[in-house]
Amino acid sequence: MDQINFLNSVILDLQRKNEELKVKLKKMALTEFNGNDENDGLGEVKKKKKAPRRVFCDICDCFDLHDTEDCPTQTQSPDSPPHTTYHGSRSGERPYCDICEAFGHWTDSCNDDQTF
């Protein structure tokens, strides 16, 4: 008999919680339908404030310091030479040395006597 009373009390408690959740869900659906206004239950309507957008830098992998476009690591230092504006012709072939693994001369004209 005690087990039956205990189980009945558990069922009643779960039914009560279920009803509370249904009421809460209905309130949430109404506030969403009414334009995301939050009602505090006293008749006052409060507007939800959206958090400001957080900036993130993909290079530094950090939040709230600067945006990727404003990253100080990608800015050119004043003593470095300016970036080139000539990129060569696409149809031209650049001399490359397979021994040195560097551009600038052909493998046939390499004077590197070291062998690996």
Side-chain angles (χ1 to χ4, degrees):
M1 189 68 164
D2 288 331
Q3 287 180 343
I4 294 172
N5 288 337
F6 172 73
L7 291 175
N8 282 337
S9 68
V10 170
I11 291 171
L12 287 174
D13 187 45
L14 290 174
Q15 286 177 341
R16 182 185 50 80
K17 286 182 182 179
N18 193 22
E19 289 300 320
E20 288 175 0
L21 289 173
K22 284 181 183 179
V23 169
K24 195 173 188 179
L25 181 64
K26 190 178 281 188
K27 283 183 182 178
M28 289 172 62
L30 284 174
T31 56
E32 181 68 26
F33 181 73
N34 291 333
N36 287 336
D37 293 339
E38 186 178 301
N39 192 337
D40 65 358
L42 302 174
E44 293 184 27
V45 176
K46 298 178 183 176
K47 295 274 187 185
K48 286 186 180 180
K49 292 183 181 177
K50 288 188 177 182
R53 180 182 166 271
R54 294 180 70 184
V55 293
F56 179 74
C57 179
D58 292 318
I59 298 169
C60 300
D61 198 28
C62 60
F63 280 100
D64 300 329
L65 293 179
H66 53 267
D67 200 21
T68 304
E69 296 172 359
D70 303 326
C71 184
T73 59
Q74 71 178 1
T75 59
Q76 188 175 356
S77 62
D79 58 343
S80 66
H83 296 292
T84 181
T85 56
Y86 176 72
H87 298 291
S89 71
R90 290 185 179 261
S91 60
E93 189 175 358
R94 290 178 62 189
Y96 179 75
C97 177
D98 290 320
I99 298 170
C100 300
E101 295 182 351
F103 290 99
H105 62 277
W106 295 106
T107 306
D108 301 339
S109 61
C110 182
N111 59 3
D112 189 11
D113 295 333
Q114 293 179 339
T115 56
F116 301 98

